[in-house]
Each structure stands twice: as structure tokens, then as C-alpha cells.
């Protein structure tokens, strides 16, 4: 298999894994055992096997028993057992961060453990005792982050120790001293995300370091605080939370409804998901973006209207949702309650887990007061239903009778069906060969070539997540060209990839097993440029997406329970060899289907 798309190979549980990321699925939707709390939890952070939380609670609830914990608590991330770590703050803890053996807290407090600590404190991660770090902060902190030898602080700030700071400040981790790092934001900063070369800053400001292009989200140097002019995202509304990885930065936005947006390192939008309420929390684990907020529904398209109502359809997502690496809404849907909902999400790469905190009191109708943890998905049991690539063709190998071999190992051989002079022709492509189809023709007796595999149940996706695609170099035509197809819409279920008319814009089409309405995602981008392009159709829960050259071009809402089953054969290059067969013209390579 020389040139098959990595997205066909590196997919599991409906998730495409980014290059270099671990191959993993979505965490379970049922929360694991953990303490509850009698007041809002605003902050959460992992340190190894320990979870630390902060907020405005005075009691942890374990097995129905109340245990005193004053705005700070810790417990075992694997077992949920409450730990004997009990520092106390006299007012809200709004943010937490960890570096080494110190947990850093920021908030509205004046004292911790009865000792004066104005708004920021360092606390021993095992002892619960205060470090010597002590400062006077004018304003309200909202966010903490560690990295590059510093503890970064953000909020609505005007000074630290009497030294002017415009909503951003930092402390040297080694000494706890106020650091010279001092970029300036002209309004409140809500969120920070730190990488080795940038500190991402999000909030409701309009300028960072007086640079006009830095509205609401900016990047600054982690050592000097100088604005990175190459990052210009310009989000449409206030940023409440941020996360970052090697691919860029992820932002949770408020505004009309709410949005989760992924940006490249240059600030270009990779994908956007829209909700019917603010997105307030965001985190990334193994290529999956987890979003929290006070939304109740996720919109199936990018459109919403008055008060954030989804205008093109929606699916229930109570305060929590998950999105894959291409921006597709996943089926993960633990249902949390409340108005404010989820305020922050933390992840543990080592444990494969996420933690969500906020004001909710139930998750999936079970008591989970203000904290919920979700662990990695269990492996499929032996003997369970098979998922993964169910057919794969690179046209580099044939068997004795001239049919094309199925590289997936499932034995779905492609056999050529020809009419009116159509014939199989191979052409060099990359390190192997591609299949060429007859050129465009206006006559009824134009040459026709279709490759077909016999119908078998494992080629029918039913209601599972699935994807299919091909690498194509289209020829000129004025009519629609079918690239990959199983089923006929008028005869029941169908999934299809086609090129639309003279414009050559790829589109993906699904029809349920009982016929009726067809659902189409049509690319905005034409591929009629005499070059090779990879095209993928992807169905994930309530969303159908068309992907061109690894970029999502369009999405369309589909019924969440839409089941696609058909007894028709699987076809490549057309729907048959009769008249008006929607013949594909051009060259084709690396055709594949992946279910599950």
C-alpha cells in the first residue's frame, strides 16, 4: 500500500489521530468514582496520579459522608479516594497550576492556611504547606499557567507589589519573585496556554502591547512578552479558555451561542463547532478536543441565530462535547445539568483521562456534584464486532483473473465491468500505478468502465461512524461523475462520493436504508486543475463532512440515527454500465472504506 491516505489507516473509534499523537479513542462517557463538592469548583489540574481542585466549596462529599475541605482539595485520580491534603483559602480559588512539587493557586483570597497570601500562593503538593512566595496583587486573577521557568498570571490586574501590570504578569519559579515579563492587554484576560515558544492569551481585550490586530486572542514571547505578529486569529467573541498543542491553539468562545475554534500556529481557522450557549472550557487529549460550557445543544452546522439557537438542526450535548481532529462532532455525550455548567477541563496524557469541573450536580442523571472524571475507553473484547478498514485498493496488485486485490484483507475483490469499448488502463502514479477511466464523451455509446465488489454486510455502515475516499485526478466533463458508490438512492440506502458537473466540486451523499431524503456535503473548492487530490467523506454521528486534501471543506447535518444498509454492490467509477451511468473520467488511486 504505497500511497493510501494516512487518515484511512490511523483511524479508530471515529477519530483521526494527528501525526505523532498516540493512537487512542474518546474517553468513556460514564464518569468514574470521585468526590463531590458542596459549592462551585472553578479550577482543576493533574499532577501524576493526583487531581487538585479549587473553588468556593467547604465540603467534599465521599460516599455520602461530608469531609471538610475549604476551597482546595486533592484526591487520587485512579481510585477517586480523597487525600489528606487540606490547605484552606478564605475566598474563591479561581485558578490552579502545577510545577514540580508545588501547586499554585490564584483567586480572591487574602489568606491561605490562616497566613497572608494576597490572590496568589504556592502550596506544597504533598504537604499542603505554604511556600515562601508572597505578593500583593491589585485586581482579580482569572488564569494561571506554568512553563519556561515561569508562573504566568492573567486576569483583571493593574499591579503586583505596586509595580504596574496590565492584566498579565509572571513570577520566576525558582525564587517566586516577580518576573520582568510584562506584556500589556487593554482589558480582562481570561485564559492562558503556554508552549515552549509562545504564551497564548485570550479574553475580552482589543489590543495586546497596543497592537490593533490582537483582538481577544494573541500570542506573545514566553521570555520577553513581545507580541508575535505572525499569529492573527481575530476570534468573533470573547475567549473564555485556551488549550495548545503542536498543531496550534484551541479556543472556547462566548458570544451569540458559543464556539469552539481550532487555529493553526499562523492564526488560520482549522475548524469551528457552534453551540447554543457559551463554551467556557477546552482541552485536548490524543487528538480529541473536549469542550465544556453552559450549552445544552451542539449545532449540526456552523449557523445559529437569536440567543444562540441552532438554525440548521442540533443534537443534545449537555455542558460537554467532543470534537475530532478535523472538527467533526463526536458521539461522546455525557449529559451534565445546571445553568453555568462546566467551567474548566483538565487532561492527563499519562492516565488517558479528563476531569471536568463547574456547577453541575448530575451527569447522565447520576449524582456528580461539580466534579466528574472520564477515563480512557476500554479495549474491544475478543469476538466483538470488527471495525476499521473494510476495503482498500491501490491498483498496484492484481490476481490471476485480472481483478484488483483488496488490501484490507477482507477479500472484497474489484472486478471490471465494461461496455461500448471501455477497458482497464493503468497509468504510473507516485511509486505505483493508478487506474484510468474513459475520457468524457457526449454520445450514448461512450466507453464505460466500472469496477464492482459483491455486496456483503460488512460494507454496510448501518448507523456507525464511517469514512470512505479516494485519490483522484479528474478529467474534463459537464456531467456528474461518481467516484465511489454503494447503493442507489431510489432503491434504498446509499453512500456516494461524486464530482459535481463542470465545476468539479466533490460532494458526499448519504441516504438511509428506507430511502427518502438524501443528505449532501458539497465542497466549496473545485479540483478541476489537472492535478491529484485526496477526497474523503466522513460521517460522525449527526454530521457528514467532505474533506479535500486533509481540509474540511463543508459539513451537513444528518439524522443521528440514520442507518445506511443496501444490497447493491460496491462500485468504483460509476453506478453501472447502462445509459447515464455517471461515468468517472480521469485517473483514480487509493480507494478505501473504513467503518467504526
Amino acid at each position: 500500500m504505497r500511497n493510501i491516505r494516512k487518515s484511512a489507516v490511523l483511524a479508530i473509534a471515529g477519530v483521526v489521530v494527528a501525526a505523532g499523537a498516540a493512537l487512542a479513542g474518546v474517553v468513556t462517557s460514564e464518569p468514574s468514582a470521585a468526590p463531590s463538592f458542596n459549592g462551585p469548583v472553578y479550577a482543576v489540574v493533574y499532577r501524576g496520579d493526583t487531581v487538585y481542585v479549587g473553588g468556593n466549596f467547604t465540603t467534599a462529599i465521599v460516599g455520602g459522608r461530608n469531609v471538610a475541605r475549604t476551597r482546595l482539595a486533592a484526591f487520587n485520580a485512579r481510585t477517586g479516594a480523597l487525600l489528606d491534603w487540606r490547605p484552606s483559602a478564605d475566598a474563591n480559588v479561581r485558578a490552579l497550576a502545577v510545577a514540580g512539587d508545588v501547586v499554585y493557586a490564584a483567586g480572591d483570597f487574602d489568606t491561605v492556611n490562616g497566613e497572608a497570601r494576597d490572590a496568589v500562593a504556592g502550596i506544597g503538593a504533598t504537604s499542603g504547606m505554604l511556600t515562601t512566595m508572597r505578593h500583593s496583587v491589585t485586581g482579580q486573577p482569572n488564569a494561571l499557567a506554568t512553563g519556561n521557568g515561569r508562573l504566568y498570571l492573567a486576569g483583571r490586574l493593574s499591579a503586583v507589589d505596586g509595580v504596574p501590570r496590565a492584566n498579565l504578569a509572571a513570577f520566576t519559579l525558582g525564587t517566586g519573585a516577580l518576573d520582568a515579563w510584562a506584556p500589556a492587554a487593554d482589558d480582562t484576560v481570561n485564559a492562558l496556554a503556554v508552549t515552549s515558544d509562545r504564551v497564548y492569551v485570550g479574553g475580552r481585550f482589543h489590543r495586546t502591547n497596543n497592537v490593533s490586530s490582537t483582538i481577544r486572542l494573541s500570542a506573545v514571547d514566553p521570555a520577553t512578552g513581545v507580541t508575535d505578529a505572525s499569529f492573527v486569529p481575530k476570534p468573533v467573541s470573547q475567549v473564555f479558555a485556551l488549550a495548545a498543542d503542536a498543531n496550534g491553539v484551541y479556543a472556547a468562545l462566548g458570544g451569540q451561542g458559543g464556539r469552539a475554534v481550532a487555529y493553526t500556529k499562523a492564526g488560520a481557522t482549522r475548524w469551528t463547532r457552534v453551540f447554543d450557549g457559551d463554551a467556557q472550557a477546552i482541552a485536548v487529549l490524543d487528538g480529541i478536543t473536549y469542550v465544556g460550557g453552559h450549552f445544552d445543544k451542539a449545532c449540526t452546522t456552523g449557523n445559529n441565530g437569536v440567543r444562540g439557537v441552532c438554525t440548521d438542526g442540533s443534537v443534545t450535548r449537555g455542558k460537554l462535547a467532543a470534537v475530532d481532529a478535523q472538527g467533526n462532532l463526536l458521539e461522546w455525550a455525557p449529559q451534565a445539568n445546571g445553568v453555568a455548567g462546566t467551567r474548566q477541563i483538565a487532561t492527563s496524557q499519562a492516565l488517558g483521562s479528563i476531569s471536568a469541573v463547574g456547577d453541575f450536580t448530575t451527569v447522565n442523571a447520576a449524582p456528580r456534584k461539580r466534579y466528574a472524571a472520564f477515563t480512557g475507553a476500554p479495549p474491544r473484547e475478543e469476538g466483538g464486532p470488527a471495525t476499521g478498514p473494510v476495503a482498500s485498493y491501490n491498483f498496484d496488485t492484481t490476481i490471476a483473473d485480472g481483478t484488483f486485490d483488496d488490501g484490507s484483507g477482507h477479500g472484497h475483490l474489484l472486478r471490471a465491468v465494461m461496455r461500448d469499448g471501455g477497458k482497464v488502463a493503468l497509468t504510473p502514479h507516485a511509486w505505483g500505478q493508478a487506474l484510468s477511466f474513459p475520457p468524457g464523451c457526449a454520445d450514448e455509446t461512450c466507453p464505460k468502465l466500472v469496477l464492482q465488489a459483491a455486496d456483503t454486510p460488512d460494507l454496510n455502515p448501518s448507523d456507525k461512524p464511517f469514512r470512505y475516499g479516494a485519490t483522484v485526478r479528474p478529467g474534463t466533463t459537464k456531467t456528474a461523475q461518481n467516484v465511489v458508490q454503494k447503493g442507489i438512492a431510489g432503491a434504498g440506502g446509499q453512500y456516494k462520493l461524486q464530482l459535481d458537473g463542470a465545476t468539479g466540486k466533490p460532494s458526499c451523499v448519504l441516504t438511509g436504508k428506507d430511502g427518502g431524503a438524501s443528505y449532501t456535503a458539497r465542497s466549496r473548492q473545485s479540483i478541476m486543475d489537472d492535478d491529484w487530490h485526496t477526497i474523503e467523506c466522513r460521517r460522525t454521528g449527526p454530521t457528514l463532512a467532505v474533506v479535500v486534501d486533509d481540509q474540511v471543506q463543508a459539513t451537513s447535518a444528518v439524522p443521528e440515527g440514520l442507518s445506511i444498509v443496501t444490497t447493491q454492490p460496491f462500485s468504483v467509477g460509476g453506478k453501472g454500465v447502462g445509459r447515464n451511468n455517471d461515468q468517472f473520467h480521469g485517473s483514480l488511486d487509493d480507494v478505501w472504506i473504513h467503518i467504526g
Side-chain angles (χ1 to χ4, degrees), residues 461-481:
S462 186
D463 59 356
K464 298 185 183 75
F466 79 109
R467 57 194 73 213
Y468 55 98
T471 302
V472 302
R473 185 178 185 177
T476 302
T477 182
K478 294 183 179 180
T479 60
Q481 304 177 63

Side-chain angles (χ1 to χ4, degrees), residues 170-190:
F171 307 92
T172 304
L173 286 175
T175 64
L178 181 65
D179 195 87
W181 186 85
D186 66 353
D187 204 341
T188 302
V189 177
N190 296 321

Side-chain angles (χ1 to χ4, degrees), residues 436-455:
S436 291
F437 287 80
C441 170
D443 297 335
E444 291 185 5
T445 57
C446 293
K448 299 175 181 65
L449 168 65
V450 175
L451 281 74
Q452 291 186 330
D455 168 58

Side-chain angles (χ1 to χ4, degrees), residues 353-398:
S353 300
I354 75 167
S355 287
V357 299
D359 293 71
F360 52 83
T361 58
T362 66
V363 177
N364 292 339
R368 286 294 187 277
K369 294 184 178 180
R370 303 169 183 96
Y371 175 85
F374 303 91
T375 58
R380 179 173 62 88
E381 295 181 3
E382 282 300 317
T387 61
V390 295
S392 174
Y393 309 97
N394 60 21
F395 307 109
D396 293 342
T397 59
T398 62

Side-chain angles (χ1 to χ4, degrees), residues 229-469:
S230 68
F231 180 72
V232 190
K234 297 183 180 179
V236 297
S237 54
Q238 180 175 186
V239 175
F240 285 113
L242 294 172
D245 64 10
N247 297 312
V249 63
Y250 306 79
L253 277 59
Q256 180 174 287
R259 283 168 166 74
V261 186
Y263 298 99
T264 67
K265 296 193 74 173
T269 300
R270 292 168 49 208
W271 53 256
T272 300
R273 292 305 321 180
V274 177
F275 303 90
D276 69 345
D278 289 347
Q280 301 173 145
I282 198 161
V284 179
L285 177 65
D286 291 328
I288 306 300
T289 302
Y290 295 92
V291 185
H294 65 75
F295 51 81
D296 295 308
K297 296 181 179 181
C299 302
T300 51
T301 70
N303 300 320
N304 63 359
V306 177
R307 298 180 181 176
V309 174
C310 302
T311 56
D312 298 331
S314 64
V315 292
T316 300
R317 292 293 184 271
K319 322 303 180 188
L320 290 162
V323 182
D324 75 9
Q326 280 67 47
N328 298 302
L329 186 67
L330 299 177
E331 293 183 349
W332 185 77
Q335 301 300 313
N337 69 343
V339 177
T342 302
R343 293 183 180 271
Q344 194 174 88
I345 298 174
T347 66
S348 170
Q349 181 72 40
L351 300 176
S353 300
I354 75 167
S355 287
V357 299
D359 293 71
F360 52 83
T361 58
T362 66
V363 177
N364 292 339
R368 286 294 187 277
K369 294 184 178 180
R370 303 169 183 96
Y371 175 85
F374 303 91
T375 58
R380 179 173 62 88
E381 295 181 3
E382 282 300 317
T387 61
V390 295
S392 174
Y393 309 97
N394 60 21
F395 307 109
D396 293 342
T397 59
T398 62
I399 60 177
D401 63 358
T403 58
F404 290 98
D405 198 5
D406 174 11
S408 76
H410 287 78
H412 299 300
L413 302 180
L414 279 179
R415 293 178 171 83
V417 182
M418 297 167 283
R419 185 174 175 180
D420 298 326
K423 61 182 180 179
V424 173
L426 297 172
T427 185
H429 178 219
W431 299 278
Q433 58 193 18
L435 182 65
S436 291
F437 287 80
C441 170
D443 297 335
E444 291 185 5
T445 57
C446 293
K448 299 175 181 65
L449 168 65
V450 175
L451 281 74
Q452 291 186 330
D455 168 58
T456 59
D458 64 338
L459 289 173
N460 293 324
S462 186
D463 59 356
K464 298 185 183 75
F466 79 109
R467 57 194 73 213
Y468 55 98

Side-chain angles (χ1 to χ4, degrees), residues 89-148:
D90 68 340
N92 294 335
V93 174
R94 296 186 178 275
L96 294 172
V98 170
D101 61 357
V102 179
V103 177
Y104 294 94
D108 305 331
F109 50 82
D110 295 313
T111 67
V112 176
N113 292 347
E115 298 184 36
R117 290 294 187 274
D118 182 11
V120 62
I123 306 167
T126 55
S127 69
M129 303 297 291
L130 289 171
T131 70
T132 57
M133 179 181 178
R134 182 172 176 176
H135 297 279
S136 174
V137 178
T138 305
Q140 176 185 294
N142 289 331
L144 284 175
T146 57
N148 308 298

Side-chain angles (χ1 to χ4, degrees), residues 487-495 509-519 559 561-566:
I488 306 295
Q494 178 192 69
Y495 57 90
V509 183
L510 301 182
T511 308
K513 63 183 181 181
D514 298 322
S518 293
Y519 303 89
L562 185 74
S563 182
I564 303 165
V565 177
T566 172

